Amino acid sequence: MDSETPKLFSSFDVVKDERSRILNRRTKAGYKKPGRPDCDAMGLALSGGGIRSATFNLGILQALDRVGLLRCIDYLSTVSGGGYIGSSLTWFMSRLKASVFPFDTINPVTDALANRLLARFRARGNYMTPGDGLTWWALVAAILTGIIVNLIVVIPIFFFILWILGMGLPELPYFLDRLVGGVPYAQREGPTWFTALLFLGMVVVLVSLVAGVLFSMTTRFAAARNCSFQRWTNKAMGRGLMYGAIGVIIGTIPIVTVILEIYLHGWVHSAMSSISLAGILSIWGGITGKKHGNEAKGVRSFLLSFGLSLLMYGIFLWLFYITRRFDPGAAVYFTALGCSLLIAYCADINHVSMHRFYRNRLMEAYLPMRVRDDWGREENISIMDESVTPPVPASERDADLCLLHAIPQTAAPYHLINATIQTVGSRLPKLKERGGHSFIFSPLFCGSDCTSYARSKDYIKGKVNLATAMAISGAAVDPNTYATRSRPLTFLMTLLNVRLGYWIRNPQTTALGNVQWRNPSWYKIFSEMLGRGLNENSSSLHLSDGGHFENLGLYELIRRECKYIIVCDATADVNYVFDDLAKAVERVRVDFGAEITIDTRPIRPVNKVRKISREACVVGGIRYKSGLEGVIVYVNTTLVEKLTEDIYAYQRQNPAFPDQGTGDQFFGEQQFEAYRELGLQLGVRYFSKLVVPGGPLDLLNL
């Protein structure tokens, strides 16, 4: 291999190189002694939770700075909403002289900048519709554009396939013609490829069942009792039934269409009846799912899947009727297909979805170049205070061009941005069952241990930027996640372009040198739709919200064996079950052999009416497989006694606070301040106790 060809790295290599960078960070942070990052590293994890998490964790960062702990943080691991404010911290601290903390409203050097930034964050609490022309209408227009473009690309392909399947078959043998002769559609127009598909599907199903019976008759023989042979047989019969059933379902489309036309008097009624039934079942399933208990969840899951399947089937009935009723001829079908392929070639699959709109709004809100003063006048951040801002070229100040590998190491924590590789199509049982695996973006490396890692300066020719990584980490709405893995739901979400995920090249392609195309092709949309090709070995990976694998950011800090870890959990947890913490504890034990012991009982409310808990922070222990022991501090968005009155008043007006749903991404000033101030007050209260001499985080004398 050419010596200049970029290489791939293991997780061991990644952590080793990161530790060298951590030593550099400690020097810039003014450590008296550099220490040993392999056994005394400190990590901060900011959880997912949308703007609620970003705002609460803004207060946490301010608290860490006030008690002097922020300079001790070596790693910053962020997920989704935690990545909004984490990326903002990285952005500003990489550009301000001496790496001053940008959100400090007490330090006279930075309070003018900090106050303006906080004012901007408050004003951008509704970051998806920030004004200046970007209103609700702009959001709706972006959504509709994505849907229309996706339908223009996908629907002509479906029409073309249905048109081909509707073509007449060559003359059939007499017995086959008699077999399908009783079908209304066959009587009216003669057998088509639909007929052949129906017949073939029935044959495959029948053969699979007969094979099963024959196999059972051979079990008296030793060879048939061999486990490997039985496994192969079971797999073959299962696939036969699946493909046969698909063939039968598709083959019945013309038959069902004609029957509905005859008995329901028109295609509109047939389509409406199917869609209405699906809607009723879906709603019923949703209502049933509100009840507690596994049985209700099972009923809900079945009814929802069944209802969505009928809806999907109804769509194809409607499409088939159009091809049959208004057949425009081969020229129109080929022209439409050509237009579909042209748009698919010209349009970027990542930019036409809502991902780009979402990414740009996040960048404008959290990685700004200019901010307004109290009177609406804009000033460039680089000239606000010449004493703290070095002169840098405009291109380097532009957040849109802030490349990960170009982020300099300052006193700021080394940033790990967590995303998830979708692996529902993996051949590895663990990855397939989980449906995803951890993928990181960082200044040094991008990748995963299941794909290997590439240097950020080599990965996709070094063009991965901070804003895009932040948005990928927050791509919560996406098909094929743990919450949307139902195949009918995935199909419909993809068809309507309800997706925030991102297609990106596999780091493994980096080792191929220049064999890295600009963007994955649009045909990848069918991988999302059908769940095929979503695995760790595909040339292109589909990435989504880091919370789809682990929502706290704890996983990657455990991989690095941090001795001290602060976890800030701002996820919505109305019932205080701490399921994100439980998932993280289970996965680090399974994957890294690390045991975490922590008691969350003090955080559970003692007053369920006022939602007041004894504590909002607990301290636990970590025992790594290597024998190293560590400390974990877990902070939760929880109300406790002796907070300021504005926080309690907001909770009285909004009983869901501080666990308002993640779907609420439009914060006003009062809501923003309630979460930020909660994070600040909890952080100062607990961190100031933990840093006392002999305390769990006694690190201030480093």
Side-chain angles (χ1 to χ4, degrees), residues 467-543:
T468 299
M470 170 181 63
I472 293 172
S473 177
V477 180
D478 210 46
N480 294 294
T481 69
Y482 65 88
T484 60
R485 207 178 298 180
S486 164
R487 188 56 49 215
L489 179 59
T490 294
F491 178 89
L492 293 171
M493 288 182 66
T494 310
L495 179 66
L496 298 176
N497 215 2
V498 183
R499 36 190 290 278
L500 288 175
Y502 196 88
W503 281 98
I504 199 167
R505 289 298 172 190
N506 194 319
Q508 295 171 2
T509 62
T510 303
L512 301 177
N514 292 325
V515 188
Q516 296 185 67
W517 292 272
R518 184 174 62 91
N519 284 306
S521 301
W522 198 293
Y523 76 86
K524 284 294 183 180
I525 199 77
F526 292 101
S527 293
E528 287 186 70
M529 188 175 287
L530 303 175
R532 300 293 180 180
L534 297 176
N535 60 66
E536 72 282 6
N537 295 317
S538 175
S539 61
S540 297
L541 304 174
H542 188 68
L543 303 182

Coordinates of all heavy atoms in Angstrom, one line a residue, residues 467-543:
A467 N -20.5 22.2 12.9 CA -21.9 22.4 12.9 C -22.6 21.1 12.4 O -23.7 20.7 12.9 CB -22.2 23.6 11.9
T468 N -22.1 20.5 11.4 CA -22.7 19.3 10.8 C -22.6 18.1 11.9 O -23.6 17.4 12.1 CB -22.0 18.8 9.5 OG1 -22.2 19.9 8.6 CG2 -22.6 17.5 9.0
A469 N -21.5 18.0 12.5 CA -21.4 16.9 13.5 C -22.4 17.2 14.7 O -23.0 16.2 15.2 CB -19.9 16.9 14.1
M470 N -22.5 18.4 15.1 CA -23.5 18.8 16.1 C -24.9 18.4 15.7 O -25.7 17.8 16.5 CB -23.4 20.3 16.4 CG -24.5 20.8 17.3 SD -24.4 22.6 17.6 CE -24.6 23.2 15.9
A471 N -25.3 18.7 14.5 CA -26.6 18.4 14.0 C -26.9 16.9 13.8 O -27.9 16.4 14.1 CB -26.9 19.1 12.7
I472 N -25.9 16.1 13.4 CA -26.0 14.7 13.2 C -26.2 14.1 14.6 O -27.1 13.2 14.8 CB -24.7 14.1 12.6 CG1 -24.6 14.5 11.1 CG2 -24.8 12.5 12.7 CD1 -23.3 14.1 10.5
S473 N -25.5 14.6 15.6 CA -25.6 14.0 17.0 C -27.0 14.3 17.5 O -27.5 13.6 18.4 CB -24.6 14.7 17.9 OG -24.8 14.3 19.2
G474 N -27.7 15.3 17.0 CA -29.1 15.6 17.4 C -30.2 15.2 16.5 O -31.3 15.7 16.6
A475 N -29.9 14.3 15.6 CA -30.9 13.9 14.6 C -31.9 12.9 15.2 O -31.8 11.7 14.9 CB -30.2 13.3 13.3
A476 N -32.7 13.4 16.1 CA -33.6 12.5 16.9 C -34.7 11.8 16.0 O -35.1 10.7 16.3 CB -34.2 13.3 18.0
V477 N -35.3 12.5 15.1 CA -36.4 12.0 14.3 C -35.8 11.3 13.0 O -35.3 12.0 12.1 CB -37.3 13.1 13.8 CG1 -38.5 12.6 13.0 CG2 -37.9 13.9 15.1
D478 N -35.9 10.0 13.0 CA -35.3 9.3 11.9 C -35.9 7.8 11.8 O -36.2 7.3 12.9 CB -33.8 9.2 12.1 CG -33.0 9.1 10.8 OD1 -33.3 9.9 9.9 OD2 -32.1 8.3 10.7
P479 N -36.0 7.3 10.6 CA -36.5 5.9 10.5 C -35.4 4.9 11.1 O -34.2 5.3 11.3 CB -36.6 5.7 9.0 CG -36.7 7.0 8.4 CD -35.9 7.9 9.3
N480 N -35.8 3.7 11.4 CA -34.9 2.6 11.7 C -34.2 2.8 13.1 O -33.1 2.2 13.3 CB -33.8 2.4 10.7 CG -34.4 1.9 9.4 OD1 -35.0 0.8 9.3 ND2 -34.4 2.7 8.3
T481 N -34.8 3.7 14.0 CA -34.2 3.8 15.3 C -35.0 2.8 16.2 O -35.9 2.1 15.8 CB -34.4 5.2 15.8 OG1 -35.8 5.5 16.1 CG2 -33.9 6.2 14.8
Y482 N -34.5 2.8 17.5 CA -35.2 1.9 18.4 C -36.7 2.2 18.6 O -37.5 1.3 18.9 CB -34.5 1.9 19.8 CG -34.6 3.2 20.5 CD1 -35.7 3.5 21.3 CD2 -33.7 4.2 20.4 CE1 -35.8 4.7 22.0 CE2 -33.8 5.4 21.0 CZ -34.8 5.7 21.8 OH -35.0 6.9 22.5
A483 N -37.1 3.4 18.3 CA -38.5 3.8 18.5 C -39.3 3.8 17.2 O -40.5 3.8 17.2 CB -38.5 5.3 19.1
T484 N -38.6 3.6 16.1 CA -39.3 3.6 14.8 C -38.9 2.4 13.9 O -38.8 2.5 12.7 CB -38.9 4.9 14.0 OG1 -37.5 5.0 13.8 CG2 -39.4 6.2 14.8
R485 N -38.6 1.3 14.6 CA -38.0 0.2 13.8 C -39.1 -0.6 13.2 O -38.8 -1.6 12.4 CB -37.2 -0.7 14.8 CG -36.1 -1.5 14.0 CD -35.3 -2.3 15.0 NE -34.6 -1.5 15.9 CZ -33.8 -2.0 16.8 NH1 -33.6 -3.3 16.9 NH2 -33.1 -1.2 17.7
S486 N -40.4 -0.3 13.4 CA -41.5 -1.0 12.7 C -41.3 -0.8 11.2 O -41.2 0.4 10.7 CB -42.8 -0.4 13.2 OG -43.9 -0.8 12.3
R487 N -41.3 -1.8 10.4 CA -41.1 -1.7 9.0 C -42.1 -0.8 8.3 O -41.7 0.1 7.5 CB -41.0 -3.1 8.3 CG -40.5 -3.1 6.9 CD -39.2 -2.4 6.7 NE -38.2 -2.8 7.6 CZ -37.2 -2.1 8.1 NH1 -37.2 -0.8 7.8 NH2 -36.3 -2.5 8.9
P488 N -43.4 -1.0 8.5 CA -44.3 0.0 7.9 C -44.1 1.4 8.3 O -44.2 2.3 7.4 CB -45.7 -0.5 8.4 CG -45.5 -2.0 8.8 CD -44.1 -2.0 9.3
L489 N -43.8 1.7 9.5 CA -43.5 3.0 10.0 C -42.3 3.6 9.3 O -42.3 4.7 8.9 CB -43.4 3.1 11.5 CG -43.1 4.4 12.1 CD1 -44.2 5.4 11.8 CD2 -42.9 4.3 13.6
T490 N -41.2 2.8 9.2 CA -40.0 3.2 8.6 C -40.3 3.5 7.1 O -39.8 4.5 6.6 CB -39.0 2.1 8.7 OG1 -38.6 1.9 10.0 CG2 -37.7 2.4 7.9
F491 N -41.1 2.7 6.4 CA -41.4 2.9 5.0 C -42.1 4.3 4.9 O -41.7 5.1 4.0 CB -42.3 1.8 4.5 CG -42.7 2.0 3.1 CD1 -41.9 1.5 2.0 CD2 -43.9 2.6 2.8 CE1 -42.3 1.6 0.7 CE2 -44.3 2.8 1.5 CZ -43.5 2.3 0.4
L492 N -43.1 4.5 5.7 CA -43.9 5.8 5.5 C -43.1 7.0 5.9 O -43.2 8.0 5.3 CB -45.1 5.7 6.4 CG -46.2 4.6 5.9 CD1 -47.3 4.4 7.0 CD2 -46.8 5.0 4.6
M493 N -42.2 6.9 7.0 CA -41.4 8.0 7.3 C -40.4 8.4 6.2 O -40.2 9.5 5.9 CB -40.6 7.7 8.6 CG -41.5 7.7 9.9 SD -40.5 7.4 11.4 CE -39.5 8.8 11.5
T494 N -39.8 7.4 5.6 CA -38.9 7.6 4.5 C -39.6 8.2 3.3 O -39.1 9.1 2.6 CB -38.1 6.3 4.2 OG1 -37.6 5.7 5.4 CG2 -37.0 6.6 3.2
L495 N -40.7 7.6 3.0 CA -41.5 8.1 1.8 C -41.8 9.6 2.0 O -41.7 10.3 1.0 CB -42.8 7.3 1.7 CG -43.7 7.7 0.5 CD1 -43.0 7.4 -0.8 CD2 -45.0 6.9 0.6
L496 N -42.2 10.0 3.2 CA -42.6 11.4 3.4 C -41.4 12.2 3.8 O -41.6 13.4 4.2 CB -43.7 11.5 4.4 CG -45.0 10.8 4.0 CD1 -46.0 10.8 5.2 CD2 -45.6 11.4 2.8
N497 N -40.2 11.7 3.8 CA -38.9 12.4 4.1 C -39.0 12.9 5.5 O -38.4 14.0 5.8 CB -38.7 13.6 3.1 CG -37.3 13.8 2.8 OD1 -36.4 13.1 3.3 ND2 -37.0 14.8 2.0
V498 N -39.6 12.2 6.4 CA -39.6 12.6 7.9 C -38.3 12.0 8.5 O -38.3 10.9 9.1 CB -40.8 12.0 8.6 CG1 -40.8 12.5 10.0 CG2 -42.1 12.5 7.9
R499 N -37.2 12.7 8.3 CA -35.9 12.1 8.7 C -34.9 13.3 8.9 O -34.9 14.2 8.1 CB -35.4 11.2 7.6 CG -35.7 11.6 6.2 CD -35.4 10.5 5.1 NE -34.0 10.3 5.0 CZ -33.2 11.1 4.2 NH1 -33.7 12.1 3.6 NH2 -31.9 10.9 4.1
L500 N -34.1 13.2 9.9 CA -33.0 14.1 10.2 C -31.6 13.5 10.1 O -30.6 14.2 10.2 CB -33.2 14.7 11.6 CG -34.4 15.7 11.8 CD1 -34.5 16.1 13.3 CD2 -34.2 16.9 10.9
G501 N -31.6 12.2 9.8 CA -30.3 11.5 9.8 C -29.4 11.9 8.6 O -29.8 12.7 7.8
Y502 N -28.2 11.4 8.6 CA -27.2 11.8 7.6 C -26.5 10.6 7.0 O -26.0 9.7 7.8 CB -26.2 12.7 8.4 CG -25.3 13.6 7.5 CD1 -25.7 14.8 7.1 CD2 -24.1 13.1 7.1 CE1 -24.9 15.6 6.3 CE2 -23.2 13.9 6.3 CZ -23.7 15.2 5.9 OH -22.8 16.0 5.1
W503 N -26.4 10.6 5.7 CA -25.6 9.6 5.0 C -24.1 10.1 4.9 O -23.9 11.2 4.4 CB -26.2 9.3 3.7 CG -27.4 8.4 3.8 CD1 -28.7 8.7 3.7 CD2 -27.3 7.0 3.9 NE1 -29.5 7.6 3.8 CE2 -28.7 6.5 3.9 CE3 -26.3 6.0 3.9 CZ2 -29.0 5.2 4.0 CZ3 -26.6 4.7 4.0 CH2 -28.0 4.3 4.1
I504 N -23.2 9.3 5.3 CA -21.8 9.7 5.2 C -21.0 8.4 4.9 O -21.4 7.3 5.1 CB -21.4 10.2 6.6 CG1 -20.1 11.1 6.5 CG2 -21.2 9.1 7.7 CD1 -19.9 11.9 7.8
R505 N -19.8 8.7 4.3 CA -18.9 7.6 3.9 C -18.4 6.8 5.1 O -18.1 7.4 6.2 CB -17.8 8.1 3.1 CG -18.2 8.6 1.7 CD -18.8 7.4 0.9 NE -19.4 7.9 -0.3 CZ -20.1 7.1 -1.1 NH1 -20.4 5.9 -0.8 NH2 -20.6 7.6 -2.3
N506 N -18.2 5.5 5.0 CA -17.6 4.7 6.0 C -16.2 5.1 6.1 O -15.5 5.2 5.2 CB -17.8 3.2 5.6 CG -17.5 2.3 6.7 OD1 -16.6 2.5 7.5 ND2 -18.3 1.2 6.8
P507 N -15.7 5.2 7.4 CA -14.2 5.5 7.6 C -13.3 4.5 6.9 O -12.2 4.8 6.5 CB -14.1 5.4 9.1 CG -15.4 5.8 9.6 CD -16.4 5.2 8.7
Q508 N -13.9 3.3 6.6 CA -13.0 2.3 6.0 C -12.7 2.7 4.5 O -11.6 2.3 4.0 CB -13.8 0.9 5.9 CG -14.0 0.3 7.3 CD -15.0 -0.9 7.2 OE1 -15.4 -1.3 6.2 NE2 -15.3 -1.4 8.4
T509 N -13.5 3.6 3.9 CA -13.2 4.0 2.6 C -12.0 5.0 2.6 O -11.4 5.2 1.5 CB -14.4 4.7 1.9 OG1 -14.7 5.9 2.7 CG2 -15.6 3.8 1.9
T510 N -11.7 5.5 3.8 CA -10.5 6.4 3.8 C -9.2 5.7 3.5 O -8.3 6.3 2.9 CB -10.4 7.0 5.3 OG1 -11.6 7.6 5.6 CG2 -9.3 8.0 5.4
A511 N -9.2 4.4 3.8 CA -8.0 3.6 3.5 C -7.8 3.4 2.0 O -6.8 2.9 1.6 CB -8.0 2.3 4.3
L512 N -8.9 3.7 1.2 CA -8.8 3.5 -0.2 C -8.3 4.7 -0.9 O -8.3 4.8 -2.1 CB -10.2 3.2 -0.7 CG -10.8 1.9 -0.2 CD1 -12.2 1.7 -0.7 CD2 -10.0 0.7 -0.4
G513 N -7.8 5.7 -0.1 CA -7.2 6.9 -0.7 C -8.3 7.8 -1.3 O -9.2 8.3 -0.6
N514 N -8.2 8.1 -2.6 CA -9.1 9.0 -3.2 C -10.5 8.5 -3.6 O -11.3 9.2 -4.2 CB -8.5 9.6 -4.5 CG -7.3 10.5 -4.1 OD1 -7.3 11.2 -3.1 ND2 -6.3 10.4 -5.0
V515 N -10.7 7.2 -3.2 CA -12.0 6.6 -3.6 C -13.0 7.0 -2.5 O -13.5 6.2 -1.7 CB -11.9 5.1 -3.7 CG1 -13.2 4.5 -4.2 CG2 -10.8 4.7 -4.6
Q516 N -13.3 8.3 -2.5 CA -14.3 8.9 -1.6 C -15.2 9.9 -2.3 O -14.7 11.0 -2.6 CB -13.7 9.6 -0.4 CG -12.9 8.6 0.5 CD -12.4 9.4 1.7 OE1 -13.1 9.8 2.6 NE2 -11.1 9.6 1.8
W517 N -16.4 9.5 -2.7 CA -17.2 10.4 -3.5 C -17.7 11.5 -2.6 O -17.8 11.4 -1.4 CB -18.3 9.6 -4.1 CG -17.9 8.7 -5.2 CD1 -17.7 9.0 -6.5 CD2 -17.4 7.3 -5.0 NE1 -17.2 7.9 -7.2 CE2 -17.0 6.8 -6.3 CE3 -17.4 6.5 -3.9 CZ2 -16.6 5.5 -6.5 CZ3 -16.9 5.2 -4.1 CH2 -16.5 4.7 -5.4
R518 N -18.2 12.5 -3.3 CA -18.7 13.7 -2.5 C -19.8 13.3 -1.5 O -19.8 13.7 -0.4 CB -19.2 14.8 -3.5 CG -19.6 16.1 -2.8 CD -19.9 17.1 -3.9 NE -21.0 16.7 -4.7 CZ -22.3 17.0 -4.5 NH1 -22.6 17.6 -3.4 NH2 -23.2 16.6 -5.3
N519 N -20.8 12.6 -2.0 CA -22.0 12.3 -1.2 C -22.5 10.9 -1.6 O -22.4 10.6 -2.8 CB -23.1 13.3 -1.3 CG -22.7 14.6 -0.4 OD1 -22.4 14.5 0.7 ND2 -22.7 15.7 -1.1
P520 N -23.1 10.2 -0.7 CA -23.8 8.9 -1.1 C -24.9 9.2 -2.1 O -25.5 10.3 -2.1 CB -24.3 8.4 0.2 CG -23.5 9.0 1.2 CD -23.1 10.4 0.7
S521 N -25.2 8.3 -3.0 CA -26.3 8.4 -4.0 C -27.6 8.4 -3.3 O -27.8 7.9 -2.2 CB -26.1 7.3 -5.0 OG -24.9 7.4 -5.6
W522 N -28.6 8.9 -4.1 CA -30.0 9.0 -3.6 C -30.6 7.6 -3.4 O -31.5 7.5 -2.6 CB -30.8 9.9 -4.5 CG -32.1 10.3 -3.8 CD1 -33.2 9.6 -3.4 CD2 -32.4 11.7 -3.4 NE1 -34.1 10.3 -2.8 CE2 -33.7 11.6 -2.8 CE3 -31.8 12.9 -3.5 CZ2 -34.3 12.8 -2.3 CZ3 -32.4 14.0 -3.0 CH2 -33.7 13.9 -2.4
Y523 N -30.1 6.6 -4.1 CA -30.7 5.3 -4.0 C -30.6 4.8 -2.6 O -31.3 3.9 -2.2 CB -30.0 4.3 -4.9 CG -28.6 3.8 -4.5 CD1 -28.5 2.7 -3.7 CD2 -27.5 4.5 -5.0 CE1 -27.3 2.3 -3.3 CE2 -26.2 4.0 -4.6 CZ -26.1 2.9 -3.7 OH -24.9 2.5 -3.3
K524 N -29.7 5.4 -1.7 CA -29.7 5.0 -0.3 C -31.0 5.3 0.4 O -31.2 4.7 1.5 CB -28.5 5.8 0.4 CG -27.1 5.3 0.0 CD -26.9 3.9 0.5 CE -25.5 3.4 0.3 NZ -25.4 2.0 0.8
I525 N -31.8 6.1 -0.2 CA -33.1 6.3 0.4 C -33.9 5.0 0.5 O -34.7 4.8 1.5 CB -34.0 7.4 -0.4 CG1 -35.1 7.9 0.5 CG2 -34.6 6.8 -1.6 CD1 -34.6 8.9 1.5
F526 N -33.7 4.1 -0.4 CA -34.4 2.8 -0.4 C -33.7 1.9 0.7 O -34.4 1.0 1.2 CB -34.3 2.1 -1.8 CG -35.1 2.9 -2.8 CD1 -34.5 3.7 -3.7 CD2 -36.5 2.7 -2.8 CE1 -35.3 4.4 -4.7 CE2 -37.3 3.4 -3.8 CZ -36.6 4.2 -4.7
S527 N -32.5 2.1 1.0 CA -31.9 1.4 2.2 C -32.6 1.8 3.5 O -32.9 0.9 4.3 CB -30.4 1.7 2.3 OG -29.7 1.2 1.2
E528 N -32.9 3.1 3.6 CA -33.6 3.5 4.8 C -35.1 2.9 4.8 O -35.6 2.5 5.8 CB -33.7 5.0 4.8 CG -32.4 5.7 5.2 CD -32.6 7.2 5.3 OE1 -33.3 7.6 6.3 OE2 -32.1 8.0 4.5
M529 N -35.7 3.0 3.6 CA -37.1 2.6 3.5 C -37.3 1.1 3.8 O -38.2 0.7 4.4 CB -37.6 2.9 2.0 CG -39.0 2.7 1.8 SD -39.5 3.2 0.1 CE -39.4 5.0 0.3
L530 N -36.3 0.3 3.3 CA -36.4 -1.2 3.4 C -35.6 -1.7 4.6 O -35.6 -2.9 4.9 CB -36.1 -1.8 2.1 CG -36.9 -1.4 0.9 CD1 -36.4 -2.0 -0.4 CD2 -38.4 -1.7 1.1
G531 N -34.7 -0.9 5.1 CA -33.8 -1.4 6.2 C -32.7 -2.3 5.7 O -32.0 -3.0 6.5
R532 N -32.4 -2.2 4.4 CA -31.4 -3.1 3.9 C -30.1 -2.2 3.7 O -30.1 -1.1 3.3 CB -31.8 -3.6 2.5 CG -33.0 -4.5 2.6 CD -32.8 -5.8 3.3 NE -33.9 -6.7 3.4 CZ -33.9 -7.8 4.1 NH1 -32.9 -8.2 4.7 NH2 -35.1 -8.5 4.1
G533 N -28.9 -2.8 3.9 CA -27.7 -2.1 3.8 C -27.3 -1.2 4.9 O -26.3 -0.5 4.8
L534 N -28.1 -1.2 6.0 CA -27.8 -0.4 7.2 C -26.9 -1.2 8.1 O -27.4 -1.9 9.0 CB -29.0 0.1 7.9 CG -30.0 1.0 7.0 CD1 -31.2 1.3 7.8 CD2 -29.3 2.3 6.7
N535 N -25.6 -1.2 7.9 CA -24.7 -2.0 8.7 C -23.3 -1.3 8.7 O -23.1 -0.4 8.0 CB -24.6 -3.4 8.2 CG -24.1 -3.5 6.8 OD1 -23.0 -3.2 6.5 ND2 -25.0 -4.0 5.9
E536 N -22.5 -1.9 9.5 CA -21.2 -1.3 9.8 C -20.2 -1.5 8.6 O -19.1 -0.9 8.6 CB -20.6 -1.8 11.1 CG -20.1 -3.3 11.0 CD -21.2 -4.3 11.1 OE1 -22.4 -3.9 11.1 OE2 -20.9 -5.5 11.2
N537 N -20.5 -2.4 7.7 CA -19.6 -2.7 6.6 C -20.0 -2.0 5.3 O -19.3 -2.2 4.3 CB -19.5 -4.2 6.4 CG -18.9 -4.9 7.6 OD1 -17.9 -4.4 8.1 ND2 -19.5 -6.0 8.0
S538 N -21.1 -1.4 5.2 CA -21.5 -0.7 4.0 C -20.6 0.4 3.7 O -20.0 1.1 4.6 CB -23.0 -0.2 4.2 OG -23.4 0.6 3.0
S539 N -20.4 0.7 2.4 CA -19.5 1.8 2.0 C -20.1 3.2 2.5 O -19.3 4.1 2.6 CB -19.4 1.9 0.4 OG -20.7 2.1 -0.2
S540 N -21.4 3.3 2.7 CA -22.0 4.5 3.3 C -22.7 4.1 4.5 O -23.4 3.1 4.6 CB -22.9 5.2 2.3 OG -22.2 5.6 1.1
L541 N -22.6 5.0 5.6 CA -23.2 4.7 6.8 C -24.4 5.7 7.0 O -24.3 6.9 6.6 CB -22.2 4.9 8.0 CG -21.0 4.1 7.9 CD1 -20.0 4.5 9.1 CD2 -21.3 2.6 8.0
H542 N -25.4 5.3 7.7 CA -26.5 6.2 8.1 C -26.3 6.5 9.5 O -26.4 5.6 10.4 CB -27.8 5.6 7.8 CG -29.0 6.6 7.9 ND1 -29.1 7.7 7.1 CD2 -29.9 6.7 8.8 CE1 -30.1 8.4 7.5 NE2 -30.7 7.9 8.5
L543 N -26.1 7.8 9.8 CA -25.9 8.2 11.2 C -27.1 9.0 11.7 O -27.8 9.7 10.9 CB -24.7 9.2 11.3 CG -23.4 8.6 10.8 CD1 -22.3 9.6 11.1 CD2 -23.0 7.3 11.5

